[in-house]
């Protein structure tokens, strides 16, 4: 067996608990670091998850040569600057949706990843079967005027699939 992919969770809010589940019990990937601007909160998550490294500054994550992948779970307005830094730090990146606040930001993030030669992944909830079916029904005029959309999915399953996809992408690069 090859060495596991070493992951840092950046942003220890509520969603981080679900993301860490995607790595729990895996032989091919392991969370080795957590980072949050609230260091006490990061320490709490590290303790709960059995993670040894705790950072309160994202730059420390980028300087850590042991980290292969950064799971960006930061507030949306930070995705583009954090993502750019991650690419420049030669870290593979998985970012929580939404990827960016604009198409221009998304283009910059993708370009930075390509230029750095890193794998970039973002949750693609818009392309899961229920969303695609709803889009087709709307386009076909099968339902009336859209006033609101509510969709319930099993977030844990989606996150587990995303973690698996990222691990597979890195394994076959």
């Amino acid at each position: 067996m090859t060495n596991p992919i070493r992951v840092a969770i950046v942003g220890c809010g509520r969603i981080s608990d679900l993301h860490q589940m995607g790595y729990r019990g895996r032989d091919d990937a392991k969370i080795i670091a957590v980072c949050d601007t609230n260091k006490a909160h990061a320490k709490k998550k590290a303790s709960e998850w059995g993670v040894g490294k705790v950072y309160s500054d994202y730059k420390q994550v980028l300087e850590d040569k042991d980290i292969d992948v950064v799971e960006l779970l930061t507030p949306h307005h930070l995705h583009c600057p954090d993502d750019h830094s991650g690419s420049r730090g030669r870290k593979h990146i998985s970012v929580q949706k939404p990827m960016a606040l604009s198409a221009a930001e998304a283009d910059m993030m993708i370009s930075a990843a390509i230029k750095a030669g890193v794998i970039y992944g973002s949750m693609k909830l818009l392309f899961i079967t229920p969303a695609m079916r709803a889009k087709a029904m709307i386009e076909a005029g099968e339902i009336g005027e859209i006033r609101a959309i509510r969709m319930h999915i099993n977030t844990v399953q989606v996150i587990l699939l995303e973690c698996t996809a990222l691990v597979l992408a890195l394994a076959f690069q």
Side-chain angles (χ1 to χ4, degrees), residues 66-136:
D66 292 336
I67 295 169
D68 302 312
V69 176
V70 173
E71 277 271 4
L72 275 180
L73 308 177
T74 56
H76 304 154
H77 70 281
L78 297 176
H79 288 179
C80 187
D82 286 350
D83 182 275
H84 250 157
S85 298
S87 292
R88 285 194 306 269
R90 298 277 197 247
K91 306 292 185 202
H92 301 290
I93 298 164
S94 175
V95 65
Q96 175 67 16
K97 57 136 181 97
M99 170 185 177
L101 297 182
S102 68
E105 278 189 0
D107 288 343
M108 287 189 309
M109 293 160 76
I110 292 167
S111 294
I114 291 169
K115 184 177 178 180
V118 297
I119 294 173
Y120 177 86
S122 178
M123 291 187 69
K124 298 154 200 75
L125 295 178
L126 293 177
F127 300 103
I128 61 172
T129 304
M132 291 171 34
R133 176 69 182 125
K135 182 178 185 284

Side-chain angles (χ1 to χ4, degrees), residues 13-167:
R14 290 180 306 169
I15 197 72
S16 67
D17 287 316
L18 294 175
H19 279 261
Q20 70 85 24
M21 289 172 63
Y23 295 101
R24 189 184 316 154
R26 298 188 73 114
D27 293 329
D28 53 3
K30 180 180 180 177
I31 299 171
I32 67 161
V34 296
C35 177
D36 196 280
T37 54
N38 180 335
K39 191 154 190 173
H41 193 60
K43 284 181 180 180
K44 180 178 182 277
K45 293 295 183 183
S47 175
E48 290 173 8
W49 303 340
V51 174
K53 295 182 181 185
V54 178
Y55 298 115
S56 59
D57 185 339
Y58 184 51
K59 291 176 186 167
Q60 296 168 307
V61 171
L62 300 179
E63 292 168 359
D64 186 332
K65 302 290 186 216
D66 292 336
I67 295 169
D68 302 312
V69 176
V70 173
E71 277 271 4
L72 275 180
L73 308 177
T74 56
H76 304 154
H77 70 281
L78 297 176
H79 288 179
C80 187
D82 286 350
D83 182 275
H84 250 157
S85 298
S87 292
R88 285 194 306 269
R90 298 277 197 247
K91 306 292 185 202
H92 301 290
I93 298 164
S94 175
V95 65
Q96 175 67 16
K97 57 136 181 97
M99 170 185 177
L101 297 182
S102 68
E105 278 189 0
D107 288 343
M108 287 189 309
M109 293 160 76
I110 292 167
S111 294
I114 291 169
K115 184 177 178 180
V118 297
I119 294 173
Y120 177 86
S122 178
M123 291 187 69
K124 298 154 200 75
L125 295 178
L126 293 177
F127 300 103
I128 61 172
T129 304
M132 291 171 34
R133 176 69 182 125
K135 182 178 185 284
M137 290 173 72
I138 292 166
E139 290 173 347
E142 295 176 22
I143 53 180
E145 179 185 348
I146 305 302
R147 296 183 184 184
I149 296 177
R150 180 178 176 175
M151 181 172 66
H152 177 76
I153 60 168
N154 184 332
T155 306
V156 173
Q157 287 178 329
V158 171
I159 289 171
L160 293 175
L161 288 172
E162 287 292 326
C163 292
T164 299
L166 180 63
V167 167

